[in-house]
Amino acid sequence: MGLPALEFSDCCLDSPHFRETLKSHEAELDKTNKFIKELIKDGKSLISALKSLSLAKRKFADSLNEFKFQCIGDAETDDEMCIARSLQEFATVLRNLEDERIRMIENASEVLITPLEKFRKEQIGAAKEAKKKYDKETEKYCGILEKHLNLSSKKKESQLQEADSQVDLVRQHFYEVSLEYVFKVQEVQERKMFEFVEPLLAFLQGLFTFYHHGYELAKDFSDFKTELTISIQNTRNRFEGTRSEVESLMKKMKENPLEHKTISPYTMEGYLYVQEKRHFGTSWVKHYCTYQRDSKQITMVPFDQKSGGKGGEDESVTLKSCTRRKTDSIEKRFCFDVEAVDRPGVITMQALSEEDRRLWMEAMDGREPVYNSNKDSQSEGTAQLDSIGFSIIRKCIHAVETRGINEQGLYRIVGVNSRVQKLLSVLMDPKTASETETDICAEWEIKTITSALKTYLRMLPGPLMMYQFQRSFIKAAKLENQESRVSEIHSLVHRLPEKNRQMLQLLMNHLANVANNHKQNLMTVANLGVVFGPTLLRPQEETVAAIMDIKFQNIVIEILIENHEKIFNTVPDTPLTNAQLHLSRKKSSDSKPPSCSERPLTLFHAMQSAEKQEQRNSIINSSLESVVSSNANSILNSSSSLQPNMNSSDPDLDVLKPIRPNSLTPFRKAKALYACKAEHDSELSFTAGTVFDNVHPSQEPGWLEGTLDGKTGLIPENYVEFL
């Protein structure tokens, strides 16, 4: 598991959990700092050793260069001359290699040691300075807050207001320092992923360059080596040939001597001062308190922000009542009394401010009035996945593939915003949008067209791959096995609404074409993932944790591009489990039922275009009243004649899609494709091949209703096919 994300929203609460998370980040930075120091030390030792090695090899080369062969006789053969100059050739190669080594050593200090020292001093050092400032401000804020809370309520109102203002300023400053510190810690944690590894990569690249230089020297030396090998062999052969004769001569001359030569479940939480009775009087002890409205549980954790440690054991009580404490009944301000079911007496608590007390009272259903500051603001995009939307995307893709598929930085280089908006207004005009044969004029630059395509996708009411599946796609990208990732994403894509899936297929086919031309446009699959990941899979809430998942969004898009033919043209091998469908039912019960387009894909054999389906539905609707009194099968037989051939296509929606039964479709028979065990009384258990009667859509998304052996119940929609 990685480090948990530090959320900016937690800076205000400054909870024990936040402090523990912050400590884990600080510990990681300390570990990184120590590791870099050791690495710099070892790096300097390595550079020093390389310098010593280079110096020794250079001395060895000098020795080789100085030695001269002296051959016997007043003339030398070609082989003897080749062998004689070989030592100078060896010396030249070694010197050349050591020259490159010296360049590598000098470069190593610049690309390895200097950046690591700079990162340690400037980044980790800055984080340490920010920590000192944060600790100092924490102590200052807590001290001033305690003094402020100890002010007597009997002081003049003007003095109290002035004190409140002063505390607000200190609190705001503490909050700002906290945000800056969290931002710096988060920044350093992310920076080390590249600023720490990049120098090591550069150093290795220097090593590879050095070894490659040696390889090039070896290639250049190859011809001389071949010549020298031949000369050595010839010399050896001649030696072997003459040895016997020399030996014979030696024997003859024995008579005369010769001369020898190596990454909050609570309703309310925050700090409160709790009045505790001691034998010498009363004292106010600071606690971090949490409250859960459903269970009415209050948990109090004595915690000292200055030391960052607990001051005692946690205590949990069940709330009975909460009453605001009148100012004239106690010297402390911002107080309220809590009665607990499982603890005798009254617990008096002091909030940090009047507003803080109001929020606690509201959470605990006290007598304070309830203020609801939440506003439901929702902006709707003007873009839609309708015929106009498909027409716009097709026109953009056609323009790119016919005029700019080889442009460098395709989709990464953005167009001028005013031009992009102007092009979109032209394309989204119903008059021009209906002209499907009209191409985008050549006056529009390719970067303007690509920016218009991306902007249109961002203008949709929700991301193309939908908020409800965003986490599922991210989890799929985090699976260890690549085959498992592809399989899970394949299954998720087929759970998307049909128009979303068709638009996604249209886009992925195009991006695959772009990637196939990456040698010209420089847009590899990875680069396209970076561009389209945040557009197609943006999260519903922008948090630090969500930002940390952007890299997994990019991986999802890469998988879609690389496996687009399999994902969009084949049905997933494994259907959704009954448990998954039940989870979908449970979630849907807490919110309004989705529209037909948002319901899961059903596996049916019959295929027909959207336009023909609408025609079929209109006929069924007009015949619905007569269905009650007539034979339903005859209606179905007459309507089935409207189904086109499997090879037919829709000019607006190129991808053929499975047919989902319309909500007004008469009851039909269906056969089970898979076995299913009921988990609830409302569901039916069955085996593969079971035939159901009176099957029709239910109110539960992803489920049908049918009859088996006289019992009516729910059937998973993608477990059956209609007969």
Side-chain angles (χ1 to χ4, degrees):
M1 289 292 291
L3 292 171
L6 289 168
E7 297 291 350
F8 291 131
S9 57
D10 290 341
C11 294
C12 184
L13 290 175
D14 197 19
S15 65
H17 174 71
F18 169 73
R19 288 283 181 151
E20 289 299 323
T21 303
L22 193 57
K23 277 187 176 181
S24 66
H25 280 264
E26 291 170 351
E28 178 62 21
L29 287 181
D30 287 337
K31 186 175 75 172
T32 303
N33 186 40
K34 290 178 183 177
F35 178 71
I36 292 177
K37 286 178 69 174
E38 287 298 319
L39 196 63
I40 291 173
K41 180 180 176 182
D42 293 341
K44 288 181 177 178
S45 298
L46 174 60
I47 290 173
S48 177
L50 288 173
K51 286 182 178 178
S52 298
L53 174 63
S54 181
L55 194 63
K57 283 194 173 182
R58 197 174 288 277
K59 184 177 180 182
F60 178 72
D62 291 342
S63 298
L64 288 176
N65 190 54
E66 291 172 1
F67 185 79
K68 306 290 182 184
F69 276 107
Q70 294 295 328
C71 296
I72 301 173
D74 58 354
E76 297 176 344
T77 63
D78 291 339
D79 294 326
E80 288 173 338
M81 286 189 287
C82 180
I83 292 173
R85 83 169 189 275
S86 66
L87 298 187
Q88 284 71 41
E89 290 290 337
F90 296 159
T92 301
V93 170
L94 288 174
R95 283 174 178 171
N96 200 325
L97 194 60
E98 292 316 305
D99 288 343
E100 185 63 26
R101 191 194 300 275
I102 289 298
R103 282 193 289 272
M104 179 197 71
I105 292 171
E106 293 172 351
N107 193 44
S109 180
E110 182 178 344
V111 302
L112 178 66
I113 305 300
T114 303
L116 289 178
E117 287 180 337
K118 183 179 179 182
F119 176 76
R120 193 177 71 85
K121 291 177 181 177
E122 293 184 5
Q123 298 300 326
I124 299 181
K128 288 186 175 181
E129 289 299 319
K131 174 175 170 53
K132 291 179 183 177
K133 185 177 179 182
Y134 177 69
D135 291 339
K136 183 178 178 181
E137 288 299 321
T138 300
E139 187 172 359
K140 178 181 176 182
Y141 168 63
C142 293
I144 290 178
L145 184 61
E146 289 177 1
K147 289 181 182 178
H148 178 65
L149 294 174
N150 287 323
L151 285 176
S152 173
S153 60
K154 296 179 180 180
K155 286 186 175 291
K156 292 182 180 180
E157 185 64 26
S158 60
Q159 292 178 328
L160 293 176
Q161 289 179 355
E162 182 179 354
D164 288 347
S165 300
Q166 183 180 0
V167 169
D168 288 341
L169 287 174
V170 173
R171 183 186 295 111
Q172 181 63 28
H173 187 252
F174 169 71
Y175 180 53
E176 291 173 357
V177 170
S178 177
L179 286 172
E180 291 171 359
Y181 179 47
V182 167
F183 174 78
K184 189 62 184 177
V185 169
Q186 193 84 41
E187 179 187 21
V188 175
Q189 292 287 20
E190 288 300 304
R191 273 181 176 272
K192 75 178 182 182
M193 300 298 288
F194 54 91
E195 289 197 4
F196 172 54
V197 177
E198 194 172 36
L200 296 173
L201 177 61
F203 174 70
L204 283 178
Q205 183 60 41
L207 277 177
F208 297 151
T209 302
F210 167 74
Y211 291 130
H212 181 73
H213 184 73
Y215 170 75
E216 293 294 330
L217 283 175
K219 284 174 62 178
D220 295 341
F221 187 72
S222 179
D223 292 339
F224 177 75
K225 182 183 73 171
T226 301
E227 181 184 356
L228 179 61
T229 302
I230 294 172
S231 295
I232 291 173
Q233 189 61 42
N234 289 340
T235 303
R236 178 179 283 109
N237 291 338
R238 281 194 295 270
F239 166 74
E240 294 295 336
T242 59
R243 185 175 184 275
S244 57
E245 294 182 14
V246 174
E247 187 176 12
S248 177
L249 179 61
M250 179 189 65
K251 289 178 181 179
K252 291 180 181 179
M253 299 297 294
K254 275 189 176 180
E255 293 178 2
N256 298 318
L258 300 175
E259 296 184 5
H260 304 279
K261 301 184 172 187
T262 270
I263 275 213
S264 175
Y266 303 108
T267 307
M268 184 67 185
E269 60 181 320
Y271 283 101
L272 292 171
Y273 283 82
V274 180
Q275 187 181 47
E276 296 183 357
K277 294 182 180 180
R278 306 288 172 87
H279 64 277
F280 53 83
T282 59
S283 65
W284 294 85
V285 180
K286 196 173 189 178
H287 289 68
Y288 189 84
C289 301
T290 60
Y291 174 68
Q292 240 175 357
R293 178 171 286 164
D294 293 340
S295 60
K296 290 188 174 294
Q297 285 292 311
I298 305 173
T299 303
M300 297 175 287
V301 181
F303 188 80
D304 183 8
Q305 287 174 277
K306 297 178 184 178
S307 64
K310 288 185 178 181
E313 295 298 322
D314 300 0
E315 182 180 2
S316 292
V317 296
T318 303
L319 176 68
K320 180 180 179 182
S321 66
C322 174
T323 309
R324 180 177 62 84
R325 190 71 176 262
K326 292 184 178 180
T327 305
D328 55 4
S329 66
I330 191 169
E331 289 189 358
K332 296 282 187 179
R333 305 171 68 203
F334 319 134
C335 295
F336 57 95
D337 292 336
V338 171
E339 289 186 84
V341 174
D342 47 0
R343 172 174 163 170
V346 175
I347 306 171
T348 301
M349 297 180 170
Q350 182 185 24
L352 304 184
S353 65
E354 185 62 43
E355 176 65 13
D356 191 36
R357 176 171 68 171
R358 184 187 69 76
L359 293 173
W360 278 104
M361 295 283 293
E362 179 183 334
M364 295 182 181
D365 298 322
R367 296 182 184 177
E368 292 291 330
V370 178
Y371 298 98
N372 188 357
S373 59
N374 294 328
K375 296 181 181 179
D376 185 13
S377 59
Q378 183 178 2
S379 59
E380 296 185 357
T382 57
Q384 298 294 334
L385 291 178
D386 52 12
S387 59
I388 293 178
F390 275 86
S391 175
I392 290 171
I393 298 301
R394 283 199 182 92
K395 287 179 182 179
C396 291
I397 289 175
H398 181 263
V400 171
E401 294 191 347
T402 55
R403 293 200 280 122
I405 195 73
N406 292 327
E407 281 204 12
Q408 291 189 0
L410 195 63
Y411 285 107
R412 173 163 283 182
I413 298 175
V414 297
V416 179
N417 187 55
S418 59
R419 295 277 294 166
V420 173
Q421 295 302 324
K422 185 176 180 181
L423 174 58
L424 278 174
S425 65
V426 172
L427 293 174
M428 295 173 69
D429 185 349
K431 297 179 181 178
T432 58
S434 61
E435 300 173 5
T436 55
E437 301 300 325
T438 305
D439 293 335
I440 298 176
C441 298
E443 66 179 84
W444 298 100
E445 294 179 292
I446 292 299
K447 65 180 181 180
T448 304
I449 298 172
T450 56
S451 296
L453 183 147
K454 291 186 294 181
T455 303
Y456 189 85
L457 293 173
R458 286 192 290 266
M459 287 168 61
L460 292 170
L464 189 60
M465 297 172 74
M466 304 187 68
Y467 290 129
Q468 66 194 77
F469 296 114
Q470 198 261 354
R471 292 306 309 164
S472 299
F473 277 112
I474 295 299
K475 288 180 182 178
K478 292 180 179 179
L479 295 175
E480 295 182 3
N481 184 283
Q482 178 69 6
E483 185 178 346
S484 300
R485 295 177 192 167
V486 174
S487 177
E488 184 65 19
I489 290 173
H490 188 183
S491 176
L492 288 169
V493 166
H494 282 263
R495 292 173 61 191
L496 291 172
E498 293 169 13
K499 288 188 177 180
N500 294 60
R501 188 172 64 255
Q502 290 167 355
M503 179 66 83
L504 189 62
Q505 179 178 7
L506 185 64
L507 189 60
M508 290 305 118
N509 289 341
H510 167 59
L511 294 183
N513 289 338
V514 173
N516 289 338
N517 292 273
H518 69 273
K519 291 184 178 179
Q520 292 78 29
N521 57 39
L522 306 182
M523 293 304 290
T524 60
V525 171
N527 289 339
L528 291 170
V530 170
V531 173
F532 281 91
T535 298
L536 302 179
L537 262 179
R538 67 180 183 272
Q540 198 157 9
E541 294 182 2
E542 186 176 0
T543 63
V544 175
I547 295 172
M548 295 301 101
D549 279 340
I550 287 178
K551 50 183 172 287
F552 296 107
Q553 297 173 8
N554 303 345
I555 291 173
V556 172
I557 304 305
E558 291 175 29
I559 290 174
L560 288 174
I561 296 173
E562 291 175 337
N563 302 274
H564 66 102
E565 291 186 358
K566 174 185 176 182
I567 289 174
F568 293 102
N569 297 332
T570 63
V571 177
D573 295 333
T574 306
L576 292 176
T577 64
N578 196 32
Q580 288 174 315
L581 285 170
H582 173 66
L583 180 62
S584 174
R585 286 180 57 206
K586 183 177 179 182
K587 289 183 178 178
S588 67
S589 65
D590 298 329
S591 60
K592 66 178 183 179
S595 63
C596 291
S597 63
E598 293 173 334
R599 293 169 58 184
L601 174 67
T602 311
L603 303 178
F604 294 114
H605 294 320
M607 307 286 284
Q608 54 183 271
S609 67
E611 186 177 328
K612 298 289 184 175
Q613 175 67 14
E614 290 176 6
Q615 184 180 358
R616 176 177 178 269
N617 290 341
S618 65
I619 291 177
I620 293 175
N621 292 341
S622 64
S623 306
L624 185 60
E625 294 181 1
S626 61
V627 169
V628 177
S629 58
S630 63
N631 189 344
N633 290 331
S634 64
I635 297 296
L636 290 174
N637 292 335
S638 63
S639 62
S640 65
S641 63
L642 295 171
Q643 289 185 204
N645 186 280
M646 289 291 288
N647 296 326
S648 64
S649 62
D650 186 339
D652 289 328
L653 304 175
D654 288 342
V655 184
L656 290 176
K657 57 181 181 292
I659 298 307
R660 173 176 285 107
N662 185 272
S663 59
L664 295 178
T665 302
F667 293 169
R668 301 171 62 184
K669 285 182 178 289
K671 184 174 75 173
L673 297 172
Y674 315 100
C676 177
K677 184 178 180 181
E679 297 184 1
H680 297 276
D681 294 339
S682 61
E683 301 169 7
L684 295 177
S685 295
F686 51 86
T687 59
T690 300
V691 176
F692 305 94
D693 295 320
N694 301 329
V695 179
H696 59 280
S698 74
Q699 295 299 319
E700 298 286 355
W703 294 75
L704 300 171
E705 192 170 301
T707 304
L708 177 63
D709 298 332
K711 180 183 177 182
T712 300
L714 296 175
I715 309 164
E717 188 178 17
N718 61 346
Y719 272 53
V720 300
E721 65 175 352
F722 279 88
L723 300 176

